[in-house]
Structures are given as C-alpha cells and as structure tokens.
C-alpha cells in the first residue's frame, strides 16, 4: 500500500493502481470517456487529466500509476481548462444533433459538455458525416458520432476476443470500421453487443431500440436471462410495457456486464403474434382444437386426470416439468404429481441433458452439482474443457476461459471431436472419436499414476477405492487408448502432465460427456481425475458441468425427478417420506417413479395413459422422434402448458397458455447453484396465466388445496422442507442472490462444495471400463452423426427463431462434413444432401469443413425444417437413460 494526496485528502492505494482507481476508491470523481475497468488503459481521450505536483505537464490519471506521497489535483484551473479545450476539440468532430439523438440523456459526451459548460466549439466543424449504417439487424452504427475513444475496439479484442473492429485510415479520416469495411455479419461478429454497451456516445446503438424512446421514458427492471445455465443478470429497459433493449450491470455476477446475442437481442419472441392466447381443447387428436375459457379447460383437465387415476391407478400418470420455468413452478409440479396424482412419475428435461451429471457426481462426490463458481475459471492454471462447445452454448462462461488463457496464462486442454472455437486457445486438443471419453480419461489417469503425479495425501485421506481404480487404469496404456480414441499418445501424456502439474486445475464439461451410453461413467471418470490430483474443494478447481437451460439446475434441485424430493432428499427414505407426508397433509407414493423414456415405453405398453408436460417439447427434442411421437399418440389424455404451439402441443388434448419469464416472478438457479430472483417486467398478455397459478387451479379443482398469493410464499415452503434452502427467502435474494447450500438465515451461501469432506463422506474413485456406443458406423451407415448447438439458436427454436434480429443472422441448418468424406461423395458446400439413419431421413444443406472430424458429421436440432431427431437414437446412458445424441450412424448422399 502507498499513501498519496488527492485534492488535499490523504488516500491509501495499492501500489499497482492508477491515480484514477485511487480517486474512485476514495469517492473522488474524475471524468472519463475512454476508460473501462475491464480494459487496458490507452489514455486516448484525455478527459481524465489531473495535475501532479512536480510533473512537467498534466497526466492522464487512467494510465498513470500512483506513487508514494504523490500530490494530485483533480480540479485545478489548468485541469479544468484542459478538459474544456478537449471537449471543444471532440465537439468539432461531432454533429450537434443532441435534440434528435437517441443517446440523449445517456451520452457521456453530452453530460460532460453540460458539466463543463461547453456550448460550442471554437474549432471548425470538421465532421466528415458518414451515412449511418443500419444494414445489420442488431447494431446501429453512426460513425459521425464516434469520438475515437477506442473502447469498442478494445472490448472486442480484450474481452470478447473477436477482433471485429479496428481503426481504419489516418488523420482526420480515422474511423472505427470492420476489416475491409465488411458487413458485420461477415466480419466474425458474434453480436454480443459488447461494443454497443461501452460506446459513450451515439455511434453504436442497439438497433431494436433506435427511435423507440429516450432513457428517461424507460423503466429499468433487473432480472435473469431465460436462455442458458450461465444465468446472466439482465437489465430490461421498458417503455409502456414494451421491452426496448437489454443491458447488463457491470457489477453483477456471473456476467459482470457481458451478454451473448440471445441475452441481448433475443427478447422479442414474447410478443410474437402466434403466442398462445387462450386454452385450447379437443376430445380426439383427429379433431381441430377449439378455444375454451379457463374454467372449462381447468375443469376438463381436473376431471380427466381424476378419471384416469381412478380407472388405471396413479402410476398411469406422468409429469414432465420445465427447466425453463422457475424453482417455485418445478416445486409445485412435483408436489402436484406426488400429492395430488399420487405417483413419483416425475421428470424434467435434465433427463435428456445433464441427468448423467446428477447420477455421476452423486456417485463420486455425493452431490450432483457443480463444485465451484463460474468466476473461479478465470484464476485456474489448467483447464480441461470436455464436450462443451462453450463459446456457442455458454458464451459468457467462455469469456472467462478466454481470459484465463490469454490474460492469465492458463493452459487449456480441449477434449472434443469437433474443431470448436476454443481449440484456438488450447495448449492441447484431444480430438477423440465420439463416444470414447471413458477410454481417454482412463488413459490420462494411467499416465498420472504411472508417472507418480497423483496427490497421494489427498487420495489417502479423502477418497476410497484407489486399488480397484489402479487395477482398471493400468490396462489403459497410451498406446491402447490411442487405438480406441484416435488421440495421439504424446498428446495424452502431455495433457495428463499439465492437469496433474498444478494445484489449480479445473474441469468444465458439457453434453459431449453426458449424452452417451457411458454418460454417467464419463462424468465419474472426470471426477476420478479431480480426485486423484486433489484438484477439488478449493478455489479454481473442481468439476463443473455447464448446466444447459436457465433453470435445469433448479428443476432438479426442486425434486422434479422420479426418486428424490427437493435437494435430492431420497423419496424412499422413511424419514423424508414422513416429513413430506406430514407437511403436505396426504399419503405419498413409495414406489420410485418412471424416468421420461420409461414413460414412453410404458405408454406404448398401454400402462401410462396421461401426461402433463410443462414447457418441454420432447416431440421435437427427444431422440428418435418416431418412437416418442407414437408413444404420445397412445395417451388417452395429454396436457401441454406452453408459450407456443410446439410439436408436442400439436399432440395434446388440452393446451394451456403460460406466461414467460419477462411476465412473472420467481427464482432461477444457474449452473453455479446461484439462486436469483426474476422480477416481473411486463404483464402477461390478456388471457395468459402463470405456470404456478395454473397448477394451483388444477390441484384445487381436484380437491387438493394449493393456495399461494405469490411465488415468495412457495419459496417459504421450499425453505421449510429443504435444509440446503433453509436460509433462503425473497428478501435475502434481492441483488445477486445466494449460492446453495444456505443452511440458515445468517449463512452466506456456499460457492465451493466439498471443502473439508465430500457430501458422501469420502470421494469415490469409480473403476470403469470403456464401453463402445450403442450404434457404431458400418458399411451401410458409414459416418458418425454427432449433434449439438449453434450460437444463435436455442434448443427447439421456439423462442430464438421468433426473434427477427436473430433469425436474420442465422436462418437455416447445414450439416458439417469433412472434405475427406464429402469429396468421394461429390458433395460441395451449399449442396442439398440426404442424411439417413436406421430410423429416419432428412434433407439439409452441406457445409464442407475441416471443423468436423473425418468420419463424423454434425447437425444442430434447432430448426423445425431440419428435424434432426428423426435420425438420433437408439442408445441411452446405462444409468440415467439420457439419449445418446452424440453418437449414431448415418449415411450422407446427394439425392438422386
Ligand atoms: N446457443 C445455444 N446455447 C445453449 C443451448 C442452445 O440450444 N443454443 N442449449 C442449452 C442447453 S439445454 C445445454 S444442455 C447446453 C449444452 O451445451 P454443450 O454441452 O456445449 O452442447 P453441445 O453443442 O450439444 O455439445 C458440446 C460438444 O460436445 C462435443 N462432443 C460430441 N461427442 C463427444 C464425445 O464423445 N466426447 C467429447 N469430449 N465431446 C463430444 C461436440 O462436438 C460439441 O462441441 O447449452 C445451453 N446453451
Ligand atoms: N439432437 C439433439 N437433440 C437434443 C439435444 C442434442 O444435443 N441433440 N439436447 C437435448 C437437451 S440437452 C435438451 S435440454 C433438450 C431441450 O429441449 P426442450 O426442453 O424441449 O427445449 P427448450 O427449447 O429448452 O424449451 C422447451 C419449451 O419451453 C417453452 N417455455 C419457455 N419458457 C416457458 C415458461 O416459462 N413456461 C412454459 N410453460 N413454457 C416455457 C418453450 O416455448 C419451449 O417450447 O433438447 C435435447 N435434444
Ligand atoms: S479516460 Fe483517461 S484518457 Fe480517456
Ligand atoms: Mo440441455
């Protein structure tokens, strides 16, 4: 620490800080235009100049380090004169159209002109007045207003790492442009909007908001993003119940001001004209729907559910609740299923996603959740990213990985068959054959043990079963693993040494681990890696599934699973059973419930007769569509609660229209277990009800009282029955929320799990053999098909495809195929090809690219026109029954 004097006040500061930072800490305001705490200072705008005693000239405080006993004046006469002159110079380049500029009221330049009473410029107006560019759907550019502060260039380089903007030309003609003035869409831009968010003037703006309203006309509502499991905090700007734009607070975790294209520009779906508007009912699938009142629809649902329960027994019913809905809604869904319908046939879309994480991590550690916070990524020294296309699926988490590598020097090991963007940042890329994770990780374990790199003390004190593990992994020599996985031996050895060679080794993983026959085993193998190196239970370590949907963590935590009550309290534990029976005032089922795929099998066997599906579209997103749809057609009664008429809703007898996340209150839990409050921003459209209200209506109509005035009351009930949530209530969740477990009202939350002991006591090292995928390529179907995500669209596309901005950037699907596979088939980029598996066939455009591993092709599943899941199946995780979306066999050909 050093002390210095700013405007006569003694200030303490870290020695590496700048004068500006020291002043800010002491509450002394210095104006800035080009400074941003996330970026390296450039000293370009010179608004922050200050006088330092003994210095020859004024200095830019944002770029000048403090020194001991320094004496600084921030508002001396010469400082004020210099700032005024500076403003006049900037103004000479700027159009004086403040009255009609959209940035009025938010413009930093305008604020400073006002503060410094600069009304005009003595200098010639030399603004070249380029024409505004509104050629792209998201970002409006008016370079006549640019003051060349360079923040857009720097944030794109330093935070987003996309390098889209650069300074072009020299002298008076200098401007910020894309390389060769390419349109943004072709410039590598990912439409994250970082550049817009830092522009201090009206040069870059969110296009949807332009000419729609001024800042003082808008309300600002904080909420949580509804797309991926990062759970970014959002600020919605609303004028007369219309959302104009979305920004993010730079102080709020986990995103600290960053957003991705969906968070920033994917908000218009809610006002889509084809939003469901009233309940729809029909007796038979071959009839058209007719609109019904809520009374009629609820009455019908209650009557039919009751009839089916009485006629066939409680287990003829199943419920799938929504990982897009709130914790409170998921809690009610499982309460309804257990207390009202009397069955444990309860599941959620984690079944097709990270159910193997819950199973695998519970078996290894005792708790099925991420062990560390997303913020920990930045400080890791070695990162394993396996089966996670992070830059596309969790873009804001990917920024932390990029920062760890580029700014903090971390070593990155990417395990993925595709050449995903993160490969550019990797020290080692293990390009394995799809479906061979367990063999590869056994290979890493083999090297670590053989080279004596394991953490013996940790193994001895905190784990069990090391001897069995050793017996298994001794067989997985690098030579043999190379044969199975296709990964060169030397890379396996290199990766093992990197990860075992640090005390700050962190594992981040995705569906490339879980959506396999050996999905749960893959997760357990990763846990083996962190356990034998002791890289767990501390900051910057651990094993972290990047959970998928905004609240898939929460729907599992709330007990929307067939074998557990909230926070994984075992449904077959007599004490748990008694607690919930007493609290809910009813007899509860004892028998474990069916998992989602079992529900379809039982439907085909004539045993499951009715389902209640909330915010989930298995007819589009479950594997092997034909199988799932034929099961659904067997239901005597199917109720779907949705925003839109999805493929699943089309198979329903009753469709109930629900509000979306902008329109309701509740909480979401993100991938780092952070429970956050949504805040209702706009009212639901007329005739639409909240999911939680609808469930209460049905329960009440069936004679089981469910009365809550507000989701906060549901949370109170959850907290009273769930030890990990005991300290959570809505008041405490204000702001940045809490990370569970929160054991009591004073407990601060638990960002790091398993510090001194594992939830299950000792960490279990699971000895696992590699098992090949269910369906491997052969002569008839010679290629691996692996499926996953693209940046611009989201799962079934029901929301992302209804945003005109996003749709105009990405409007159709294409299949990625390696040149060595495409050439012999005569396939070129842009050709329409036919893709066929043993279960179905579709046509799609080809993209011939080395991004695909030779022998493997890749498709997303976002576009209804390309129904990828007619191809997928039939494998599933041995333990969790999650479909093997990442491996099946197909052939690709030019249609004759
Ligand atoms: N833009 C966008 N973001 C999303 C979503 C979306 O639809 N769109 N969905 C959300 C949801 S629900 C989820 S679950 C997450 C999913 O996010 P991710 O887990 O990142 O999703 P995927 O793209 O399905 O698969 C990730 C990677 O696994 C790789 N992979 C395939 N086979 C193997 C294998 O055998 N081994 C290894 N190691 N890797 C393999 C694929 O090549 C792919 O790059 O994303 C969430 N975020
Ligand atoms: N081929 C292939 N298929 C896959 C995958 C893959 O990698 N490859 N990944 C799988 C994975 S990981 C997942 S998670 C699934 C996701 O598949 P789904 O869960 O089916 O898809 P989502 O788009 O997340 O959302 C489901 C529905 O929720 C609705 N919804 C959104 N908010 C609300 C709300 O507040 N209330 C109500 N009632 N409804 C709401 C949306 O309109 C949408 O139709 O797809 C799986 N399918
Ligand atoms: S803020 Fe320091 S020079 Fe711009
Ligand atoms: Mo997912």
């Amino acid at each position: 620490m050093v002390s210095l004097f700013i405007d006569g006040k003694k200030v303490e500061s870290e020695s590496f800080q700048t004068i500006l930072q020291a002043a800010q800490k002491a509450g002394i305001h210095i104006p800035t235009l080009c400074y941003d705490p996330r970026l390296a200072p450039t000293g370009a705008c010179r608004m922050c100049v200050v006088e330092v005693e003994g210095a020859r000239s004024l200095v830019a405080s944002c770029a000048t380090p403090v020194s001991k006993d320094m004496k600084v004046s921030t508002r001396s006469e010469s400082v004020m004169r210099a700032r005024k002159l500076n403003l006049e110079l900037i103004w000479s380049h700027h159009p004086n159209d403040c009255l009609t500029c959209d940035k009025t009221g938010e413009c930093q330049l305008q604020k400073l002109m006002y503060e410094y009473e600069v009304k005009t410029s003595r200098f010639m107006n030399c603004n070249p007045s380029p024409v505004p560019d509104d050629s792209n759907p998201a970002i409006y550019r008016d370079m006549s207003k640019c003051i060349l502060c360079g923040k857009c260039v720097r944030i794109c380089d330093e935070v987003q790492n996309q390098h889209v903007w650069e300074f072009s030309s020299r002298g008076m003609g200098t401007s910020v442009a894309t390389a060769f003035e390419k349109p943004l869409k072709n410039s590598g831009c990912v439409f994250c909007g970082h550049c817009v968010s830092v522009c201090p003037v009206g040069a870059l703006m969110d296009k949807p908001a332009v000419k729609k309203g001024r800042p003082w006309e808008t309300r600002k509502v904080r909420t949580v993003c509804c797309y991926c499991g990062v759970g970014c905090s959002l600020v919605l700007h609303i004028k007369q119940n219309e959302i104009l734009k979305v920004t993010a607070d730079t102080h709020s975790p986990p995103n600290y001001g960053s957003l991705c294209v969906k968070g920033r520009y994917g908000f218009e779906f809610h006002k889509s004209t084809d939003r469901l508007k009233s309940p729809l009912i029909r007796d038979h699938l071959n009839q058209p729907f007719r609109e019904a009142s809520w009374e009629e629809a609820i009455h019908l649902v209650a009557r039919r559910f009751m009839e089916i329960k009485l006629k066939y027994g409680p287990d003829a019913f199943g419920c799938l609740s929504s990982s897009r809905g709130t914790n409170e809604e998921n809690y009610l869904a499982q309460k309804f299923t257990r207390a009202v319908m009397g069955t444990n046939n309860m599941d959620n879309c984690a079944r097709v996603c990270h159910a193997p994480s819950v199973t695998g991590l519970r078996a290894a550690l005792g708790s099925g959740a991420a062990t560390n916070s997303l913020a920990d990524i930045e400080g890791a020294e070695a990162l394993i990213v396996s089966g996670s296309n992070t830059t596309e699926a969790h873009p804001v988490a990917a920024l932390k990985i990029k920062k760890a590598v580029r700014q903090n020097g971390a070593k990155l090991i990417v395990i993925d068959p595709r050449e995903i963007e993160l490969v550019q940042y990797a020290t080692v890329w293990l390009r394995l054959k799809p479906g061979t994770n367990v063999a590869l990780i056994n290979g890493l374990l083999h090297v670590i043990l053989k080279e004596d790199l394991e953490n013996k003390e940790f193994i001895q004190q905190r784990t069990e079963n090391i001897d069995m593990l050793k017996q298994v992994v001794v067989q997985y020599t690098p030579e043999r693993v190379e044969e199975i996985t296709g990964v060169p031996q030397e890379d396996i050895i290199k990766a093992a040494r990197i990860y075992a060679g640090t005390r700050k080794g962190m594992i981040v993983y995705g569906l490339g681990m879980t959506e396999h026959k050996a999905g749960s085993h893959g997760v357990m193998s990763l846990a083996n890696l962190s356990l034998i190196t002791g890289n767990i239970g501390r900051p910057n370590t651990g094993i972290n599934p990047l959970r998928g949907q905004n609240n898939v963590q929460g729907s599992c935590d709330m007990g929307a699973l067939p074998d557990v009550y909230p926070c994984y309290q075992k449904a077959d534990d007599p004490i748990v059973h008694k607690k919930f029976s007493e609290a809910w005032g009813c007899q509860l089922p004892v028998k474990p419930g069916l998992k989602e795929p079992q529900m379809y099998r039982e439907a085909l066997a004539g045993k499951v007769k009715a389902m209640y599906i909330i915010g989930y579209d298995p007819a589009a997103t479950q594997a092997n569509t034909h199988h799932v749809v034929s099961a659904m057609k067997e239901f005597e009664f199917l109720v779907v609660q949705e925003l839109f008429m999805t493929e699943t809703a089309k198979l329903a007898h009753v469709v109930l229209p629900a509000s979306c996340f902008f329109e309701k209150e509740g909480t979401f839990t993100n991938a780092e277990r952070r429970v956050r409050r949504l805040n209702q921003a706009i009212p639901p459209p007329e005739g639409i009800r909240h999911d939680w209200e609808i469930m209460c209506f049905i329960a009440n109509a069936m004679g089981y009282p469910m009365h809550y005035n507000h989701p906060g009351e549901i949370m109170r009930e959850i907290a009273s029955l769930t030890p990990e949530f005991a300290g959570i209530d809505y008041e405490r969740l204000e702001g940045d929320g809490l990370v569970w477990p929160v054991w009591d009202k004073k407990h601060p939350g638990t960002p790091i799990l398993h510090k001194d002991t594992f939830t299950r006591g000792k960490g279990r090292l699971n000895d696992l053999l590699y098992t090949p995928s269910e369906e491997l390529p052969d002569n008839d179907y010679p290629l691996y098909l692996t499926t996953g995500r693209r940046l611009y669209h989201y799962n079934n596309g029901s929301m992302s495809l209804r945003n005109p901005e996003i749709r105009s950037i990405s409007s159709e699907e294409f299949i990625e195929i390696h040149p060595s596979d495409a050439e012999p088939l005569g396939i070129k980029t842009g050709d329409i090809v036919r893709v066929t598996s043993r279960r179905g066939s579709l046509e799609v455009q080809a993209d011939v690219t080395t991004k695909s591993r030779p022998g493997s092709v890749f498709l997303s599943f976002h576009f209804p026109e390309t129904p990828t899941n007619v191809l997928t199946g039939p494998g599933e995780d041995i333990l969790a029954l999650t479909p093997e979306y990442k491996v099946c066999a197909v052939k690709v050909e030019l249609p004759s």
Side-chain angles (χ1 to χ4, degrees):
M1 292 294 266
V2 292
S3 48
L4 65 158
F5 297 87
I6 305 182
D7 296 340
K9 183 175 165 186
K10 190 171 179 191
V11 169
E12 298 287 329
S13 163
E14 304 280 359
S15 54
F16 53 81
Q17 289 195 309
T18 61
I19 299 173
L20 178 65
Q21 286 166 330
Q24 284 177 338
K25 201 170 125 207
I28 297 166
H29 174 69
I30 298 177
T32 63
L33 281 170
C34 71
Y35 171 77
D36 186 294
R38 291 166 289 178
L39 308 175
T42 55
C45 77
R46 308 213 44 92
M47 271 317 292
C48 69
V49 286
V50 292
E51 199 171 330
V52 174
E53 201 177 281
R56 279 215 309 261
S57 56
L58 299 181
V59 299
S61 62
C62 71
T64 309
V66 294
S67 61
K68 188 165 174 288
D69 295 335
M70 190 181 225
K71 293 193 176 58
V72 179
S73 305
T74 71
R75 298 185 70 82
S76 69
E77 208 186 309
S78 60
V79 166
M80 298 305 269
R81 206 177 325 119
R83 288 187 191 149
K84 275 187 177 208
L85 177 67
N86 199 13
L87 285 168
E88 280 189 72
L89 284 166
I90 296 173
W91 190 243
S92 72
H93 278 265
H94 200 86
N96 46 11
D97 65 347
C98 284
L99 282 180
T100 52
C101 175
D102 268 273
K103 207 58 176 268
T104 292
E106 275 178 337
C107 175
Q108 299 306 311
L109 177 60
Q110 188 188 58
K111 275 191 193 146
L112 289 173
M113 300 278 291
Y114 173 74
E115 190 183 328
Y116 285 80
E117 295 184 59
V118 179
K119 299 194 170 134
T120 177
S121 172
R122 280 169 290 166
F123 305 99
M124 176 180 75
N125 186 331
C126 42
N127 181 356
S129 296
V131 183
D133 163 21
D134 72 350
S135 60
N136 82 81
I139 298 173
Y140 181 86
R141 250 173 105 200
D142 182 354
M143 284 300 136
S144 68
K145 291 180 179 152
C146 176
I147 58 167
L148 299 176
C149 69
K151 274 194 203 171
C152 53
V153 179
R154 284 181 288 144
I155 201 153
C156 191
D157 285 351
E158 294 171 29
V159 175
Q160 191 64 38
N161 282 277
Q162 222 62 30
H163 316 293
V164 169
W165 299 115
E166 57 185 37
F167 286 107
S168 86
S169 305
R170 294 281 157 105
M172 295 295 286
T174 309
S175 71
V176 171
T178 60
F180 308 109
E181 281 284 358
K182 278 194 205 150
L184 267 185
K185 212 174 140 177
N186 308 332
S187 66
C189 176
V190 290
F191 295 92
C192 64
H194 265 126
C195 53
V196 176
S197 74
V198 293
C199 181
V201 292
L204 293 170
M205 287 189 280
D206 288 315
K207 189 167 167 198
V210 167
K211 299 201 175 59
K212 291 265 185 65
R214 300 303 191 79
W216 57 86
E217 297 172 316
T218 58
R219 284 183 290 129
K220 278 99 187 149
V221 177
R222 268 183 75 152
T223 192
V224 184
C225 183
C226 73
Y227 288 101
C228 83
V230 173
C232 289
S233 97
L234 306 181
V235 180
L236 309 175
H237 299 243
I238 301 151
K239 181 180 166 188
Q240 290 158 2
N241 290 336
E242 184 184 356
I243 300 169
L244 299 187
K245 68 173 175 180
V246 179
T247 58
D249 176 354
T250 51
H251 299 290
S252 186
N255 49 318
Y256 297 100
S258 294
L259 289 175
C260 81
V261 59
K262 294 178 296 304
R264 203 181 289 276
Y265 298 112
F267 59 88
E268 299 209 70
F269 68 87
H270 74 95
K271 54 182 185 191
S272 180
T273 49
D274 62 351
R275 184 87 188 263
L276 294 168
K277 292 183 186 66
S278 80
L280 301 171
I281 63 176
R282 62 181 167 185
D283 291 331
H284 299 288
L285 293 194
N286 51 13
Q287 291 172 340
F289 282 112
R290 73 172 171 82
E291 289 194 0
S293 67
W294 276 101
E295 289 69 29
E296 185 183 7
I298 295 293
H299 189 74
L300 172 67
V301 173
R303 179 170 62 76
R304 294 292 288 126
F305 279 171
M306 192 57 94
E307 282 170 5
I308 283 164
K309 180 178 169 182
L310 292 175
K311 188 164 165 199
Y312 302 107
D315 293 335
F317 172 87
C319 176
L320 301 176
S321 78
S322 184
S323 303
R324 314 299 302 281
T326 62
N327 286 322
E328 292 74 3
E329 287 159 353
N330 278 281
Y331 173 82
L332 286 195
Q334 57 90 39
K335 180 174 178 183
F336 173 82
T337 302
R338 295 186 162 120
V340 186
M341 296 306 299
T343 175
N344 278 318
N345 290 347
M346 179 70 228
D347 217 344
N348 77 83
C349 18
R351 186 61 53 205
V352 293
C353 182
H354 272 284
S357 293
V358 178
T359 318
L361 293 179
R362 256 163 76 195
L365 315 174
S367 162
T371 60
N372 288 58
S373 286
L374 292 166
D376 273 13
I377 294 173
E378 290 179 10
E381 288 174 354
L383 278 160
I384 293 183
V385 175
S386 185
S388 156
N389 183 6
T390 331
T391 57
E392 298 201 58
H394 299 89
V396 172
L399 301 180
K400 298 181 196 293
I401 299 175
K402 292 177 178 180
K403 185 168 175 189
V405 175
R406 288 279 155 91
Q407 293 182 21
N408 303 339
K411 294 209 166 85
L412 173 65
I413 299 158
V414 170
I415 309 181
D416 203 302
R418 276 168 85 215
E419 190 173 3
I420 54 168
E421 189 191 332
L422 280 182
V423 168
Q424 294 166 32
Y425 297 76
T427 308
V428 195
W429 171 29
L430 307 178
R431 187 175 215 184
L432 78 180
K433 240 183 239 165
T436 61
N437 290 319
V438 173
L440 180 70
I441 296 163
N442 276 349
L444 297 172
L445 294 164
H446 176 102
V447 175
I448 293 171
L449 290 169
K450 186 169 166 211
E451 298 194 358
D452 223 15
L453 303 173
E454 76 274 24
N455 185 335
K456 294 195 182 65
E457 196 186 324
F458 190 91
I459 294 173
Q460 203 256 323
Q461 287 173 0
R462 295 201 51 192
T463 72
E464 62 189 34
N465 207 35
I466 181 70
D467 294 334
M468 290 300 287
L469 180 76
K470 281 184 176 166
Q471 277 184 32
V472 166
V473 301
V474 75
Q475 306 159 33
Y476 288 83
T477 57
E479 300 76 33
R480 182 169 166 229
V481 173
E482 173 169 341
E483 246 168 63
I484 303 174
T485 63
V487 177
Q489 300 174 37
E490 48 288 6
D491 290 345
I492 298 170
I493 296 168
K494 191 170 169 192
R497 288 178 185 161
I498 291 174
Y499 176 71
T502 171
R503 298 266 295 148
K504 290 185 174 184
M506 192 164 177
I507 300 175
V508 167
Y509 72 91
L511 300 178
M513 290 304 304
T514 61
E515 289 178 341
H516 288 289
K517 187 170 173 184
S520 299
H521 283 178
V523 173
M524 291 179 211
S525 326
L526 283 179
N528 285 344
L529 265 184
S530 48
L531 288 172
I532 70 157
T533 55
N535 270 322
I536 192 158
R538 286 177 287 107
N540 318 110
T541 65
I543 162 159
N544 300 282
L546 285 175
R547 299 300 298 260
Q549 290 149 308
N550 52 318
N551 198 36
V552 67
Q553 179 69 49
S555 50
C556 295
D557 297 345
M558 291 299 105
L561 291 169
D563 56 345
V564 288
Y565 288 97
C567 265
Y568 314 97
Q569 301 175 74
K570 289 217 167 73
D572 58 5
D573 176 339
I575 298 169
V576 172
H577 194 264
K578 183 160 173 273
K579 175 168 84 172
F580 281 90
S581 300
E582 281 173 11
W584 294 347
C586 59
Q587 278 299 316
L588 290 171
V590 181
K591 202 172 120 198
L594 299 172
K595 300 184 177 89
E596 182 194 353
Q598 295 169 322
M599 295 184 199
Y600 303 130
R601 277 172 223 152
E602 293 294 290
L604 286 168
K607 294 202 181 124
V608 169
K609 297 286 188 184
M611 260 177 109
Y612 182 16
I613 303 184
I614 305 164
Y616 180 18
D617 188 13
T621 56
Q622 251 288 354
N624 198 355
T625 312
H626 292 317
H627 164 75
V628 171
V629 169
S630 33
M632 286 188 179
K633 285 186 175 160
E634 293 296 315
F635 292 138
E636 280 186 20
F637 193 58
L638 173 63
V639 180
V640 173
Q641 201 159 292
E642 252 298 340
L643 315 181
F644 298 104
M645 183 53 78
T646 57
E647 295 304 314
T648 307
K650 286 179 194 161
L651 298 168
H653 298 88
V654 174
V655 179
L656 300 172
S659 62
C660 77
F661 87 113
F662 293 126
E663 301 156 356
K664 65 184 168 192
E665 304 265 309
T667 58
F668 288 159
T669 305
N670 78 352
E672 56 180 7
R673 293 173 280 111
R674 183 183 298 277
V675 185
R676 290 285 280 272
R677 273 188 74 174
L678 309 179
N679 288 300
Q680 185 182 18
I682 49 174
E686 175 111 15
I688 290 180
R689 310 305 294 247
H690 304 307
D691 287 299
W692 63 271
E693 284 180 323
I694 304 172
M695 285 182 263
C696 293
F697 292 152
I698 301 174
N700 290 329
M702 290 179 74
Y704 180 87
M706 265 200 199
H707 297 286
Y708 306 94
N709 297 309
H710 186 270
E713 294 177 8
I714 309 175
M715 182 52 86
R716 223 172 288 152
E717 184 175 318
I718 298 168
S720 74
L721 290 166
T722 315
E724 287 86 344
F725 274 60
I728 293 184
D729 61 41
Y730 270 28
E731 289 68 43
R732 286 198 73 196
L733 290 179
E734 287 289 348
D736 296 335
L738 289 163
V739 178
W740 72 257
V742 189
W743 300 108
D744 59 53
K745 286 274 153 57
K746 297 227 167 65
H747 193 273
T750 316
I752 300 176
L753 291 181
H754 316 301
K755 269 189 177 156
D756 304 312
T757 170
F758 290 100
T759 316
R760 70 182 292 284
K762 289 211 164 178
R764 171 144 187 106
L765 294 162
N766 289 285
D767 45 300
L768 303 160
L769 293 169
Y770 157 70
T771 31
S773 304
E774 184 72 23
E775 187 182 66
L776 295 172
D778 57 17
N779 285 342
D780 297 334
Y781 298 93
L783 295 168
Y784 281 96
L785 169 68
T786 183
T787 63
R789 277 128 190 101
R790 300 198 187 279
L791 172 66
Y792 292 99
H793 289 290
Y794 193 86
N795 290 351
N796 75 347
S798 75
M799 290 148 96
S800 59
L801 285 164
R802 283 183 173 85
N803 293 291
E805 289 74 27
I806 292 186
R807 187 132 202 184
S808 78
I809 303 169
S810 160
S811 60
E812 60 188 326
E813 183 53 10
F814 45 87
I815 186 166
E816 292 168 14
I817 178 166
H818 194 271
S820 63
D821 297 315
E823 272 157 29
L825 298 165
I827 294 169
K828 294 182 296 309
T829 293
D831 286 347
I832 301 292
V833 295
R834 175 153 288 284
V835 190
T836 310
S837 76
R838 287 193 172 79
R839 292 152 296 280
S841 184
L842 54 81
E843 288 194 354
V844 63
Q845 249 191 88
D847 177 18
V848 179
T849 165
T850 52
K851 195 173 168 188
S852 251
R853 192 180 188 279
S856 302
V857 292
F858 177 87
L859 276 175
S860 86
F861 61 107
H862 306 308
F863 296 87
E865 306 78 33
T866 312
T868 299
N869 283 317
V870 303
L871 305 169
T872 53
E876 54 189 25
D877 178 45
I878 311 161
L879 299 175
L881 308 191
T882 299
E884 195 162 40
Y885 294 111
K886 297 294 181 261
V887 178
C888 74
V890 294
K891 63 180 168 195
V892 177
E893 58 206 339
L894 286 167
S896 43

